[in-house]
Amino acid sequence: MAAVVPQNDFVHPDSPSVWDAKGRPVLPGFIDAHMHPISMGLKKLRLDLSQIQSLKELLEVVHNSASLLPRPSSRFLIGYDWDESLFADEHRYPTRWDLDKVAPDLPIALRRIDGHLWVVNTKGLQLLNLPEDHPFVFKTEGQPNGLLADEAIRFLEPFIEPKLDEKREALSIASQIALEHGVTTLADLYADLEVYESLVKDDGLEIRFVCCVPPATAQQLKAPLGWNIAKERCEAKFVKLFLDGSIGAHTAAMREPYADMPDETGRLLLRDRTAEGLMLEFNDMGWRLAVHAIGDLAIDQAIEAFRFVRMEGKSFLRHRLEHIEVLQPEHIGWMKRLNLVASMQPNFVARWQQEGRLYQIRLGWERAKRMNPFGSILRAGVPLAFGSDGMPFGPIYGIVGALTHPEPSEQISLRQALLAYTQGAAFACSIENQVGTIASGKLADLVVLSHLPDEQAFADEWQSVKVVATFAGGEMKFFQDK
Ligand SMILES: [Zn+2]
């Protein structure tokens, strides 16, 4: 951005390269601080079955997709997220015999929405080399019916792991989806660095990415990569560490048991000593940490480990905590003292933290309504960044969650929510000197919205807010005139 000037001082240059936003709101390009772009793209690349309403329709979709593919082929046609509870004709799982009827000559594998069950056709089963008897290879009248659950899924995995070119394509699809939502930077919170290395080499990244790599990658690389968000459009200076699981799966580590499973408190994935040791090691190698902690027990562990790193470390970098949904007041004080960034997902509030929804069922309303305390975080002066974790993707929907928090004192203003999805997310990704605000000298990543309802109207009218144009590096990458 060469200059930012007040409207009255602006002299309209007479040039064909001038684009007039015509009074519509222009914001810094949104930055999603926590995403999984390759999985988002893969779902589009493979078959998305999540909206299918009958077994008949499922088989038609499979037939149509299969008919487009070359033969013979040992490459699986892969589909995601069928849900037989939505089927209007027959409430049952599809079997290999169903799939054989529409595509007998091509291997097919379709995943159920929960990820714990796959159905494979006969051609596919022949490639898998399954054991004669396995408790998770399901049978009908003594014959494998094509359904593979949990522990049997590993026989399928080598055949469905995407190849590099497929992952590259997935990332390009994710970039397009991002631009449609006005997002110009995505943080990939478990980045497969091979994909980014190959795209950086080919100058193939269409938007910017911040890679948080798995611990093994960081250990292998030793120091962060010397990439720059302006030049390579990608940086890799964060490492991701998981301390617990999720509330949905009862695996987030809680101080108190789950309301709907009184013997369960979830579990910590690392011993305290291991967490401290790893975090110190990465900090001293120059990696910034992005630590996944959802339950209050996991957040306790994260805070203790960061205190240890600050005492023992060579220096103390700016690190971040991911999700921190069951955050307690004392955690917030420690986050402030340790300069930790809160990386949170307001869309989870919109989706699950409302009365009668998942979080109330898991934790009871007293605990659930106090989760994700955005207001307290901002009042304490802890930096707040927003992301979606892809559930679902899209800043505008996420912002609704921040404005409609069930605990009024934890609601934040529209301006604060927009800041968390721009400036705050840039700060969390340590790229705030280049992106996240509109100022001269910054990279020209911008989004133009159709309009911006005020705070009171936003929750009711958000669906009418359209992205009109998205610019990345000064180039218009998306435009929709409607
Ligand atoms: Zn995630």
Side-chain angles (χ1 to χ4, degrees):
M1 285 183 233
V4 180
V5 296
Q7 179 122 26
N8 291 341
D9 300 350
F10 184 67
V11 184
H12 201 300
D14 189 20
S15 155
S17 62
V18 170
W19 190 78
D20 187 347
K22 301 206 172 81
R24 287 177 289 217
V26 181
L27 278 61
F30 292 120
I31 298 171
D32 190 315
H34 188 128
M35 252 302 284
H36 300 279
I38 295 179
S39 359
M40 178 163 77
L42 273 179
K43 212 156 135 178
K44 298 283 169 198
L45 206 52
R46 296 166 167 193
L47 274 182
D48 183 354
L49 307 171
S50 58
Q51 305 303 320
I52 288 197
Q53 305 287 328
S54 69
L55 183 61
K56 183 167 171 276
E57 185 191 345
L58 176 79
L59 297 177
E60 274 167 16
V61 168
V62 170
H63 174 78
N64 293 340
S65 307
S67 64
L68 301 172
L69 295 172
R71 287 165 172 75
S73 171
S74 57
R75 194 166 152 180
F76 272 80
L77 171 64
I78 301 161
Y80 288 113
D81 297 358
W82 53 269
D83 179 356
E84 81 291 343
S85 71
L86 302 178
F87 292 173
D89 49 355
E90 296 183 70
H91 287 291
R92 64 169 176 89
Y93 300 145
T95 66
R96 71 170 159 119
W97 299 293
D98 295 317
L99 299 180
D100 288 350
K101 269 184 241 158
V102 291
D105 53 350
L106 191 84
I108 294 173
L110 310 177
R111 191 184 77 169
R112 191 178 184 277
I113 190 156
D114 64 356
H116 291 271
L117 191 68
W118 285 77
V119 59
V120 179
N121 68 346
T122 302
K123 187 85 185 169
L125 289 178
Q126 286 162 355
L127 295 168
L128 297 192
N129 210 359
L130 292 170
E132 266 299 296
D133 262 309
H134 189 288
F136 290 100
V137 176
F138 295 151
K139 292 181 174 173
T140 303
E141 291 168 3
Q143 290 293 314
N145 56 22
L147 290 160
L148 309 177
D150 294 300
E151 282 170 32
I153 296 170
R154 68 187 165 90
F155 297 104
L156 180 64
E157 266 160 9
F159 296 90
I160 56 174
E161 168 68 14
K163 303 270 186 298
L164 179 62
D165 59 349
E166 205 179 349
K167 288 190 254 188
R168 282 174 54 124
E169 205 180 333
L171 200 62
S172 148
I173 292 168
S175 305
Q176 281 314 312
I177 298 173
L179 289 165
E180 287 164 21
H181 284 84
V183 175
T184 49
T185 301
L186 289 175
D188 184 333
L189 263 283
Y190 212 62
D192 183 338
L193 208 54
E194 188 197 13
V195 185
Y196 292 93
E197 279 172 328
S198 105
L199 281 161
V200 165
K201 197 167 129 258
D202 298 348
D203 194 22
L205 293 177
E206 290 139 276
I207 58 168
R208 300 180 210 283
F209 292 91
V210 174
C211 293
C212 296
V213 302
T217 308
Q219 270 155 343
Q220 211 181 350
L221 288 172
K222 306 264 187 300
L225 293 183
W227 289 345
N228 184 286
I229 199 75
K231 184 163 172 282
E232 282 83 8
R233 296 193 201 100
C234 187
E235 291 195 358
K237 57 189 180 194
F238 283 90
V239 57
K240 173 89 174 275
L241 221 57
F242 286 91
L243 297 187
D244 68 347
S246 75
I247 290 168
H250 295 97
T251 48
M254 306 292 297
R255 289 180 183 173
E256 307 288 333
Y258 284 86
D260 60 343
M261 219 186 250
D263 295 328
E264 186 58 76
T265 54
R267 64 209 64 170
L268 292 170
L269 298 174
L270 299 175
R271 290 172 188 280
D272 293 351
R273 283 286 161 79
T274 313
E276 288 170 1
L278 277 172
M279 285 163 65
L280 179 64
E281 179 191 342
F282 288 125
N283 177 79
D284 286 356
M285 285 159 85
W287 290 93
R288 290 157 195 264
L289 288 148
V291 176
H292 168 121
I294 289 182
D296 43 9
L297 192 70
I299 304 171
D300 289 341
Q301 188 187 48
I303 299 277
E304 278 306 309
F306 274 123
R307 290 176 62 189
F308 174 81
V309 175
R310 195 177 63 173
M311 280 192 299
E312 302 291 326
K314 285 197 272 191
S315 59
F316 190 73
L317 299 170
R318 188 203 297 159
H319 302 295
R320 41 194 271 190
L321 280 173
E322 304 302 317
H323 312 304
I324 48 173
E325 293 201 84
V326 191
L327 197 68
Q328 303 295 351
E330 62 276 21
H331 292 142
I332 299 177
W334 276 111
M335 289 186 70
K336 174 71 183 158
R337 265 169 273 177
L338 292 163
N339 293 319
L340 298 173
V341 179
S343 164
M344 305 180 77
Q345 295 71 40
N347 45 310
F348 293 178
V349 177
R351 198 167 169 185
W352 295 312
Q353 197 182 337
Q354 305 293 332
E355 276 196 90
R357 302 276 180 84
L358 180 75
Y359 289 166
Q360 178 177 12
I361 295 165
R362 290 283 183 275
L363 303 177
W365 189 235
E366 269 314 298
R367 232 184 330 177
K369 73 176 184 202
R370 287 183 285 112
M371 293 170 64
N372 295 297
F374 306 130
S376 299
I377 288 172
L378 288 180
R379 283 189 291 277
V382 170
L384 177 64
F386 278 163
S388 69
D389 208 3
M391 295 189 262
F393 177 70
I396 304 283
Y397 171 69
I399 286 168
V400 176
L403 302 187
T404 58
H405 195 291
E407 186 64 49
S409 66
E410 303 300 355
Q411 292 171 359
I412 61 175
S413 71
L414 178 58
R415 181 185 153 76
Q416 287 169 326
L418 290 168
L419 282 171
Y421 244 124
T422 51
Q423 193 176 28
F427 186 79
C429 295
S430 293
I431 49 174
E432 73 276 11
N433 292 331
Q434 291 107 319
V435 293
T437 51
I438 297 180
S440 94
K442 289 279 175 85
L443 296 168
D445 292 2
L446 300 164
V447 54
V448 182
L449 299 176
S450 56
H451 65 291
L452 206 50
D454 67 19
E455 218 143 283
Q456 279 67 41
F458 197 89
D460 294 324
E461 295 175 16
W462 68 276
Q463 278 171 304
S464 70
V465 180
K466 301 285 179 228
V467 171
V468 174
T470 309
F471 294 81
E475 230 179 280
M476 185 188 274
K477 300 264 192 173
F478 173 77
F479 176 65
Q480 176 184 257
D481 192 14
K482 182 83 189 21

